Amino acid sequence: MRPAAAFAASVFAAKDDDDDWEDIDPDDIEFLDGEFVVEAFDDEDQLAKALCAEVEENAKACLAERGGFTLAVPGGSVAKALAGLKDAKGIDWSKVHLFFVNERVPDGKCHKLAMDTWVGAVGMPDANVHKPDAGGSVEEEAAAYEAQMRTLAERDDDVMMLDEVNGLPVFDLILLGMGADGHVGSIYPDSAALKDETGAAVLGVDMPGKRSITMSLPLINTAERVVVAASGTKKAETVRAVLEDDESELPGACVDAFSTIFFLDSGAASKLVAYAEEEE
Ligand SMILES: O=C1O[C@H](COP(=O)(O)O)[C@@H](O)[C@H](O)[C@H]1O
């Protein structure tokens, strides 16, 4: 995989094996695959470029290595930040499979946003854009969406693998946004989805006004690489809690994939002790 730091204005801290923060040299970032890294960018534009670069570079690496690439995207600001992918060169989108981290059902809000923002422009075949479309209860939608992932894993072209330990689909890259309350996907603080122990890859969420499906935390944490993006000072306190409070049980604090990267803008990073020390 590519080093994560190509667009980083500041790579300021990483967790070592003992879970303590340590300063890192951006030049050493290639040795951090499998680690936990936080990067801060000057503004949302830089953050958006970094998100697009993550997709581009990971897609190219996976396509070269296996001839396939599996990507999951959320809605909200991260979805909008991917507009730059329209200009990406050298990616065979016919070999990329796109899923949604969470989705309103039956509305398909994240699918529509992705299509309008970049997917419609890059020429990804419709069959590669996997959206929940089963109908029925949120549980039925969730089960059917998980089945779509498993059907892909049953193909003999290695585009989607199953984890040898937990049997869950392994995504190459999952992008997450994080709400000001610390939610990721449709996994909200103190919710049934956060506490779920069924081992399901996809869960139904039947909150008033938010009838959704969401990837489960075990599925998210089985991915090769997860990037959590947050911007704006309104999220600064939540970002601080998620990254610097060892006791935090917020959904964002439960993201723990093999390679976990937090992309922040300066506003979202502003309350981090590690960031303040870097700025001094
Ligand atoms: O409700 C949601 O919010 C999160 C965060 O959105 P953002 O616009 O503040 O980045 C988003 O990732 C998720 O898909 C959406 O359902």
Side-chain angles (χ1 to χ4, degrees), residues 73-80 101-104 109-110 175-181 183-186 188 210 212 229-231 235:
V73 298
S77 61
V78 172
K80 292 174 191 157
V101 172
N102 63 315
E103 181 63 292
R104 295 281 179 88
K109 202 173 158 186
C110 296
L175 304 182
L176 298 174
M178 186 171 76
D181 60 357
H183 81 268
V184 292
S186 295
Y188 289 84
K210 288 186 176 164
S212 314
S231 57
K235 294 182 182 173

PDB file of all heavy atoms in Angstrom, residues 73-80 101-104 109-110 175-181 183-186 188 210 212 229-231 235, ligand 1:
ATOM      1  N   VAL A  73     -17.955   3.503   1.009  1.00  0.00           N
ATOM      2  CA  VAL A  73     -18.010   4.940   1.290  1.00  0.00           C
ATOM      3  C   VAL A  73     -19.275   5.279   2.081  1.00  0.00           C
ATOM      4  O   VAL A  73     -20.302   4.604   1.943  1.00  0.00           O
ATOM      5  CB  VAL A  73     -17.978   5.773  -0.017  1.00  0.00           C
ATOM      6  CG1 VAL A  73     -16.685   5.538  -0.772  1.00  0.00           C
ATOM      7  CG2 VAL A  73     -19.180   5.469  -0.910  1.00  0.00           C
ATOM      8  N   PRO A  74     -19.199   6.328   2.891  1.00  0.00           N
ATOM      9  CA  PRO A  74     -20.383   6.771   3.632  1.00  0.00           C
ATOM     10  C   PRO A  74     -21.122   7.857   2.835  1.00  0.00           C
ATOM     11  O   PRO A  74     -20.835   8.065   1.654  1.00  0.00           O
ATOM     12  CB  PRO A  74     -19.754   7.370   4.890  1.00  0.00           C
ATOM     13  CG  PRO A  74     -18.485   7.992   4.389  1.00  0.00           C
ATOM     14  CD  PRO A  74     -18.016   7.134   3.230  1.00  0.00           C
ATOM     15  N   GLY A  75     -22.016   8.555   3.518  1.00  0.00           N
ATOM     16  CA  GLY A  75     -22.646   9.730   2.923  1.00  0.00           C
ATOM     17  C   GLY A  75     -21.972  10.981   3.476  1.00  0.00           C
ATOM     18  O   GLY A  75     -20.808  10.943   3.883  1.00  0.00           O
ATOM     19  N   GLY A  76     -22.709  12.073   3.494  1.00  0.00           N
ATOM     20  CA  GLY A  76     -22.233  13.292   4.144  1.00  0.00           C
ATOM     21  C   GLY A  76     -21.010  13.912   3.497  1.00  0.00           C
ATOM     22  O   GLY A  76     -20.786  13.787   2.294  1.00  0.00           O
ATOM     23  N   SER A  77     -20.188  14.554   4.318  1.00  0.00           N
ATOM     24  CA  SER A  77     -19.060  15.339   3.810  1.00  0.00           C
ATOM     25  C   SER A  77     -18.028  14.475   3.099  1.00  0.00           C
ATOM     26  O   SER A  77     -17.382  14.927   2.152  1.00  0.00           O
ATOM     27  CB  SER A  77     -18.407  16.117   4.952  1.00  0.00           C
ATOM     28  OG  SER A  77     -17.914  15.233   5.926  1.00  0.00           O
ATOM     29  N   VAL A  78     -17.853  13.246   3.540  1.00  0.00           N
ATOM     30  CA  VAL A  78     -16.854  12.382   2.882  1.00  0.00           C
ATOM     31  C   VAL A  78     -17.296  12.073   1.453  1.00  0.00           C
ATOM     32  O   VAL A  78     -16.499  12.110   0.517  1.00  0.00           O
ATOM     33  CB  VAL A  78     -16.625  11.090   3.681  1.00  0.00           C
ATOM     34  CG1 VAL A  78     -15.750  10.116   2.912  1.00  0.00           C
ATOM     35  CG2 VAL A  78     -15.989  11.412   5.032  1.00  0.00           C
ATOM     36  N   ALA A  79     -18.580  11.790   1.292  1.00  0.00           N
ATOM     37  CA  ALA A  79     -19.095  11.515  -0.058  1.00  0.00           C
ATOM     38  C   ALA A  79     -18.837  12.712  -0.966  1.00  0.00           C
ATOM     39  O   ALA A  79     -18.389  12.554  -2.112  1.00  0.00           O
ATOM     40  CB  ALA A  79     -20.587  11.205   0.015  1.00  0.00           C
ATOM     41  N   LYS A  80     -19.090  13.916  -0.447  1.00  0.00           N
ATOM     42  CA  LYS A  80     -18.897  15.117  -1.274  1.00  0.00           C
ATOM     43  C   LYS A  80     -17.421  15.350  -1.574  1.00  0.00           C
ATOM     44  O   LYS A  80     -17.051  15.837  -2.638  1.00  0.00           O
ATOM     45  CB  LYS A  80     -19.491  16.336  -0.568  1.00  0.00           C
ATOM     46  CG  LYS A  80     -21.005  16.264  -0.498  1.00  0.00           C
ATOM     47  CD  LYS A  80     -21.586  17.399   0.324  1.00  0.00           C
ATOM     48  CE  LYS A  80     -23.070  17.131   0.588  1.00  0.00           C
ATOM     49  NZ  LYS A  80     -23.581  17.829   1.745  1.00  0.00           N
ATOM     50  N   VAL A 101     -21.178   2.286   3.349  1.00  0.00           N
ATOM     51  CA  VAL A 101     -20.982   2.018   4.775  1.00  0.00           C
ATOM     52  C   VAL A 101     -22.330   1.985   5.476  1.00  0.00           C
ATOM     53  O   VAL A 101     -22.597   1.131   6.324  1.00  0.00           O
ATOM     54  CB  VAL A 101     -20.090   3.108   5.410  1.00  0.00           C
ATOM     55  CG1 VAL A 101     -20.047   2.957   6.922  1.00  0.00           C
ATOM     56  CG2 VAL A 101     -18.695   3.063   4.809  1.00  0.00           C
ATOM     57  N   ASN A 102     -23.172   2.928   5.102  1.00  0.00           N
ATOM     58  CA  ASN A 102     -24.537   2.956   5.631  1.00  0.00           C
ATOM     59  C   ASN A 102     -25.432   3.546   4.550  1.00  0.00           C
ATOM     60  O   ASN A 102     -24.941   4.193   3.618  1.00  0.00           O
ATOM     61  CB  ASN A 102     -24.623   3.751   6.936  1.00  0.00           C
ATOM     62  CG  ASN A 102     -24.269   5.211   6.769  1.00  0.00           C
ATOM     63  OD1 ASN A 102     -23.280   5.543   6.120  1.00  0.00           O
ATOM     64  ND2 ASN A 102     -25.057   6.092   7.362  1.00  0.00           N
ATOM     65  N   GLU A 103     -26.698   3.276   4.669  1.00  0.00           N
ATOM     66  CA  GLU A 103     -27.622   3.763   3.643  1.00  0.00           C
ATOM     67  C   GLU A 103     -29.023   3.849   4.220  1.00  0.00           C
ATOM     68  O   GLU A 103     -29.461   2.947   4.956  1.00  0.00           O
ATOM     69  CB  GLU A 103     -27.593   2.801   2.443  1.00  0.00           C
ATOM     70  CG  GLU A 103     -28.491   3.177   1.279  1.00  0.00           C
ATOM     71  CD  GLU A 103     -28.117   4.506   0.611  1.00  0.00           C
ATOM     72  OE1 GLU A 103     -28.276   5.556   1.266  1.00  0.00           O
ATOM     73  OE2 GLU A 103     -27.697   4.481  -0.559  1.00  0.00           O
ATOM     74  N   ARG A 104     -29.697   4.944   3.914  1.00  0.00           N
ATOM     75  CA  ARG A 104     -31.120   5.036   4.260  1.00  0.00           C
ATOM     76  C   ARG A 104     -31.894   4.099   3.352  1.00  0.00           C
ATOM     77  O   ARG A 104     -31.636   4.055   2.138  1.00  0.00           O
ATOM     78  CB  ARG A 104     -31.615   6.466   4.028  1.00  0.00           C
ATOM     79  CG  ARG A 104     -30.988   7.517   4.921  1.00  0.00           C
ATOM     80  CD  ARG A 104     -31.610   7.509   6.306  1.00  0.00           C
ATOM     81  NE  ARG A 104     -30.939   8.525   7.115  1.00  0.00           N
ATOM     82  CZ  ARG A 104     -31.304   9.800   7.184  1.00  0.00           C
ATOM     83  NH1 ARG A 104     -32.336  10.235   6.496  1.00  0.00           N
ATOM     84  NH2 ARG A 104     -30.651  10.644   7.942  1.00  0.00           N
ATOM     85  N   LYS A 109     -30.086   7.376  -0.222  1.00  0.00           N
ATOM     86  CA  LYS A 109     -29.486   8.720  -0.215  1.00  0.00           C
ATOM     87  C   LYS A 109     -27.979   8.696  -0.540  1.00  0.00           C
ATOM     88  O   LYS A 109     -27.487   9.500  -1.331  1.00  0.00           O
ATOM     89  CB  LYS A 109     -29.694   9.261   1.208  1.00  0.00           C
ATOM     90  CG  LYS A 109     -29.644  10.733   1.375  1.00  0.00           C
ATOM     91  CD  LYS A 109     -30.044  11.062   2.820  1.00  0.00           C
ATOM     92  CE  LYS A 109     -29.519  12.402   3.238  1.00  0.00           C
ATOM     93  NZ  LYS A 109     -29.763  12.685   4.648  1.00  0.00           N
ATOM     94  N   CYS A 110     -27.243   7.768   0.074  1.00  0.00           N
ATOM     95  CA  CYS A 110     -25.783   7.720  -0.139  1.00  0.00           C
ATOM     96  C   CYS A 110     -25.461   7.293  -1.566  1.00  0.00           C
ATOM     97  O   CYS A 110     -24.522   7.807  -2.184  1.00  0.00           O
ATOM     98  CB  CYS A 110     -25.119   6.759   0.853  1.00  0.00           C
ATOM     99  SG  CYS A 110     -25.282   7.301   2.555  1.00  0.00           S
ATOM    100  N   LEU A 175     -13.977   4.111   3.901  1.00  0.00           N
ATOM    101  CA  LEU A 175     -13.933   5.514   4.327  1.00  0.00           C
ATOM    102  C   LEU A 175     -15.112   5.758   5.268  1.00  0.00           C
ATOM    103  O   LEU A 175     -16.230   5.335   4.989  1.00  0.00           O
ATOM    104  CB  LEU A 175     -14.046   6.458   3.124  1.00  0.00           C
ATOM    105  CG  LEU A 175     -13.022   6.280   1.999  1.00  0.00           C
ATOM    106  CD1 LEU A 175     -13.257   7.337   0.916  1.00  0.00           C
ATOM    107  CD2 LEU A 175     -11.601   6.381   2.522  1.00  0.00           C
ATOM    108  N   LEU A 176     -14.852   6.450   6.351  1.00  0.00           N
ATOM    109  CA  LEU A 176     -15.913   6.781   7.308  1.00  0.00           C
ATOM    110  C   LEU A 176     -15.922   8.277   7.570  1.00  0.00           C
ATOM    111  O   LEU A 176     -14.851   8.896   7.684  1.00  0.00           O
ATOM    112  CB  LEU A 176     -15.667   6.093   8.655  1.00  0.00           C
ATOM    113  CG  LEU A 176     -15.656   4.565   8.715  1.00  0.00           C
ATOM    114  CD1 LEU A 176     -15.251   4.115  10.111  1.00  0.00           C
ATOM    115  CD2 LEU A 176     -17.031   4.013   8.354  1.00  0.00           C
ATOM    116  N   GLY A 177     -17.103   8.846   7.715  1.00  0.00           N
ATOM    117  CA  GLY A 177     -17.212  10.170   8.305  1.00  0.00           C
ATOM    118  C   GLY A 177     -17.489   9.968   9.786  1.00  0.00           C
ATOM    119  O   GLY A 177     -17.798   8.846  10.212  1.00  0.00           O
ATOM    120  N   MET A 178     -17.348  11.011  10.559  1.00  0.00           N
ATOM    121  CA  MET A 178     -17.728  10.886  11.975  1.00  0.00           C
ATOM    122  C   MET A 178     -18.572  12.097  12.363  1.00  0.00           C
ATOM    123  O   MET A 178     -18.171  13.248  12.121  1.00  0.00           O
ATOM    124  CB  MET A 178     -16.484  10.806  12.867  1.00  0.00           C
ATOM    125  CG  MET A 178     -16.843  10.527  14.331  1.00  0.00           C
ATOM    126  SD  MET A 178     -15.404  10.167  15.344  1.00  0.00           S
ATOM    127  CE  MET A 178     -14.725  11.814  15.536  1.00  0.00           C
ATOM    128  N   GLY A 179     -19.732  11.839  12.923  1.00  0.00           N
ATOM    129  CA  GLY A 179     -20.612  12.932  13.324  1.00  0.00           C
ATOM    130  C   GLY A 179     -20.108  13.617  14.588  1.00  0.00           C
ATOM    131  O   GLY A 179     -19.238  13.092  15.289  1.00  0.00           O
ATOM    132  N   ALA A 180     -20.675  14.771  14.889  1.00  0.00           N
ATOM    133  CA  ALA A 180     -20.273  15.514  16.095  1.00  0.00           C
ATOM    134  C   ALA A 180     -20.594  14.735  17.368  1.00  0.00           C
ATOM    135  O   ALA A 180     -20.021  14.989  18.429  1.00  0.00           O
ATOM    136  CB  ALA A 180     -20.961  16.872  16.109  1.00  0.00           C
ATOM    137  N   ASP A 181     -21.509  13.768  17.267  1.00  0.00           N
ATOM    138  CA  ASP A 181     -21.814  12.923  18.430  1.00  0.00           C
ATOM    139  C   ASP A 181     -20.943  11.665  18.471  1.00  0.00           C
ATOM    140  O   ASP A 181     -21.119  10.807  19.331  1.00  0.00           O
ATOM    141  CB  ASP A 181     -23.300  12.517  18.422  1.00  0.00           C
ATOM    142  CG  ASP A 181     -23.677  11.720  17.166  1.00  0.00           C
ATOM    143  OD1 ASP A 181     -22.806  11.537  16.275  1.00  0.00           O
ATOM    144  OD2 ASP A 181     -24.844  11.281  17.069  1.00  0.00           O
ATOM    145  N   HIS A 183     -20.782   9.353  16.018  1.00  0.00           N
ATOM    146  CA  HIS A 183     -21.285   8.207  15.249  1.00  0.00           C
ATOM    147  C   HIS A 183     -20.470   7.996  13.978  1.00  0.00           C
ATOM    148  O   HIS A 183     -19.925   8.944  13.400  1.00  0.00           O
ATOM    149  CB  HIS A 183     -22.787   8.335  14.946  1.00  0.00           C
ATOM    150  CG  HIS A 183     -23.154   9.217  13.794  1.00  0.00           C
ATOM    151  ND1 HIS A 183     -23.445  10.556  13.921  1.00  0.00           N
ATOM    152  CD2 HIS A 183     -23.300   8.947  12.467  1.00  0.00           C
ATOM    153  CE1 HIS A 183     -23.761  11.069  12.750  1.00  0.00           C
ATOM    154  NE2 HIS A 183     -23.669  10.106  11.841  1.00  0.00           N
ATOM    155  N   VAL A 184     -20.376   6.742  13.573  1.00  0.00           N
ATOM    156  CA  VAL A 184     -19.785   6.391  12.276  1.00  0.00           C
ATOM    157  C   VAL A 184     -20.784   5.483  11.571  1.00  0.00           C
ATOM    158  O   VAL A 184     -21.443   4.665  12.210  1.00  0.00           O
ATOM    159  CB  VAL A 184     -18.414   5.684  12.414  1.00  0.00           C
ATOM    160  CG1 VAL A 184     -17.362   6.629  12.960  1.00  0.00           C
ATOM    161  CG2 VAL A 184     -18.500   4.423  13.256  1.00  0.00           C
ATOM    162  N   GLY A 185     -20.875   5.613  10.244  1.00  0.00           N
ATOM    163  CA  GLY A 185     -21.939   4.898   9.528  1.00  0.00           C
ATOM    164  C   GLY A 185     -23.258   5.272  10.176  1.00  0.00           C
ATOM    165  O   GLY A 185     -23.528   6.443  10.446  1.00  0.00           O
ATOM    166  N   SER A 186     -24.084   4.267  10.488  1.00  0.00           N
ATOM    167  CA  SER A 186     -25.295   4.524  11.286  1.00  0.00           C
ATOM    168  C   SER A 186     -25.152   3.849  12.646  1.00  0.00           C
ATOM    169  O   SER A 186     -26.126   3.354  13.221  1.00  0.00           O
ATOM    170  CB  SER A 186     -26.558   4.021  10.570  1.00  0.00           C
ATOM    171  OG  SER A 186     -26.773   4.741   9.379  1.00  0.00           O
ATOM    172  N   TYR A 188     -24.619   4.641  16.234  1.00  0.00           N
ATOM    173  CA  TYR A 188     -24.729   5.809  17.110  1.00  0.00           C
ATOM    174  C   TYR A 188     -24.280   5.454  18.532  1.00  0.00           C
ATOM    175  O   TYR A 188     -24.297   4.274  18.919  1.00  0.00           O
ATOM    176  CB  TYR A 188     -26.171   6.326  17.104  1.00  0.00           C
ATOM    177  CG  TYR A 188     -26.513   6.980  15.784  1.00  0.00           C
ATOM    178  CD1 TYR A 188     -26.936   6.219  14.702  1.00  0.00           C
ATOM    179  CD2 TYR A 188     -26.338   8.350  15.606  1.00  0.00           C
ATOM    180  CE1 TYR A 188     -27.191   6.806  13.471  1.00  0.00           C
ATOM    181  CE2 TYR A 188     -26.600   8.945  14.372  1.00  0.00           C
ATOM    182  CZ  TYR A 188     -27.020   8.174  13.319  1.00  0.00           C
ATOM    183  OH  TYR A 188     -27.258   8.756  12.095  1.00  0.00           O
ATOM    184  N   LYS A 210     -34.715   7.656  10.581  1.00  0.00           N
ATOM    185  CA  LYS A 210     -33.412   7.198  10.087  1.00  0.00           C
ATOM    186  C   LYS A 210     -33.442   5.690   9.893  1.00  0.00           C
ATOM    187  O   LYS A 210     -32.742   4.939  10.557  1.00  0.00           O
ATOM    188  CB  LYS A 210     -32.308   7.567  11.077  1.00  0.00           C
ATOM    189  CG  LYS A 210     -32.015   9.041  11.100  1.00  0.00           C
ATOM    190  CD  LYS A 210     -30.833   9.366  11.967  1.00  0.00           C
ATOM    191  CE  LYS A 210     -30.522  10.849  11.860  1.00  0.00           C
ATOM    192  NZ  LYS A 210     -29.661  11.347  12.891  1.00  0.00           N
ATOM    193  N   SER A 212     -32.275   2.716   8.340  1.00  0.00           N
ATOM    194  CA  SER A 212     -31.003   2.530   7.628  1.00  0.00           C
ATOM    195  C   SER A 212     -30.473   1.120   7.777  1.00  0.00           C
ATOM    196  O   SER A 212     -30.900   0.354   8.640  1.00  0.00           O
ATOM    197  CB  SER A 212     -29.908   3.437   8.217  1.00  0.00           C
ATOM    198  OG  SER A 212     -30.345   4.732   8.412  1.00  0.00           O
ATOM    199  N   ALA A 229     -12.672  10.394   8.595  1.00  0.00           N
ATOM    200  CA  ALA A 229     -12.445  11.815   8.320  1.00  0.00           C
ATOM    201  C   ALA A 229     -13.393  12.672   9.147  1.00  0.00           C
ATOM    202  O   ALA A 229     -14.567  12.334   9.301  1.00  0.00           O
ATOM    203  CB  ALA A 229     -12.654  12.097   6.830  1.00  0.00           C
ATOM    204  N   ALA A 230     -12.847  13.753   9.679  1.00  0.00           N
ATOM    205  CA  ALA A 230     -13.690  14.707  10.430  1.00  0.00           C
ATOM    206  C   ALA A 230     -13.157  16.105  10.220  1.00  0.00           C
ATOM    207  O   ALA A 230     -11.940  16.322  10.219  1.00  0.00           O
ATOM    208  CB  ALA A 230     -13.701  14.355  11.916  1.00  0.00           C
ATOM    209  N   SER A 231     -14.063  17.037  10.048  1.00  0.00           N
ATOM    210  CA  SER A 231     -13.628  18.421   9.861  1.00  0.00           C
ATOM    211  C   SER A 231     -14.518  19.369  10.664  1.00  0.00           C
ATOM    212  O   SER A 231     -15.670  19.059  10.970  1.00  0.00           O
ATOM    213  CB  SER A 231     -13.673  18.796   8.369  1.00  0.00           C
ATOM    214  OG  SER A 231     -14.967  18.586   7.873  1.00  0.00           O
ATOM    215  N   LYS A 235     -16.613  19.451  15.767  1.00  0.00           N
ATOM    216  CA  LYS A 235     -16.290  18.050  16.069  1.00  0.00           C
ATOM    217  C   LYS A 235     -15.029  17.922  16.929  1.00  0.00           C
ATOM    218  O   LYS A 235     -14.602  16.805  17.250  1.00  0.00           O
ATOM    219  CB  LYS A 235     -16.114  17.262  14.770  1.00  0.00           C
ATOM    220  CG  LYS A 235     -17.405  17.144  13.972  1.00  0.00           C
ATOM    221  CD  LYS A 235     -17.247  16.316  12.710  1.00  0.00           C
ATOM    222  CE  LYS A 235     -18.568  16.275  11.944  1.00  0.00           C
ATOM    223  NZ  LYS A 235     -18.460  15.627  10.639  1.00  0.00           N
TER     224      LYS A 235
HETATM  225  O1  LIG B   1     -25.356  10.728   9.421  1.00  0.00           O
HETATM  226  C1  LIG B   1     -24.308  10.600   8.812  1.00  0.00           C
HETATM  227  O2  LIG B   1     -23.236  11.317   9.234  1.00  0.00           O
HETATM  228  C2  LIG B   1     -21.904  10.850   9.007  1.00  0.00           C
HETATM  229  C3  LIG B   1     -21.017  12.071   9.172  1.00  0.00           C
HETATM  230  O3  LIG B   1     -21.424  13.042   8.221  1.00  0.00           O
HETATM  231  P1  LIG B   1     -20.604  14.390   7.985  1.00  0.00           P
HETATM  232  O4  LIG B   1     -21.334  15.116   6.892  1.00  0.00           O
HETATM  233  O5  LIG B   1     -20.630  15.147   9.281  1.00  0.00           O
HETATM  234  O6  LIG B   1     -19.223  13.984   7.589  1.00  0.00           O
HETATM  235  C4  LIG B   1     -21.792  10.194   7.639  1.00  0.00           C
HETATM  236  O7  LIG B   1     -20.513   9.634   7.491  1.00  0.00           O
HETATM  237  C5  LIG B   1     -22.850   9.110   7.510  1.00  0.00           C
HETATM  238  O8  LIG B   1     -22.794   8.443   6.280  1.00  0.00           O
HETATM  239  C6  LIG B   1     -24.210   9.757   7.613  1.00  0.00           C
HETATM  240  O9  LIG B   1     -25.205   8.758   7.580  1.00  0.00           O
END
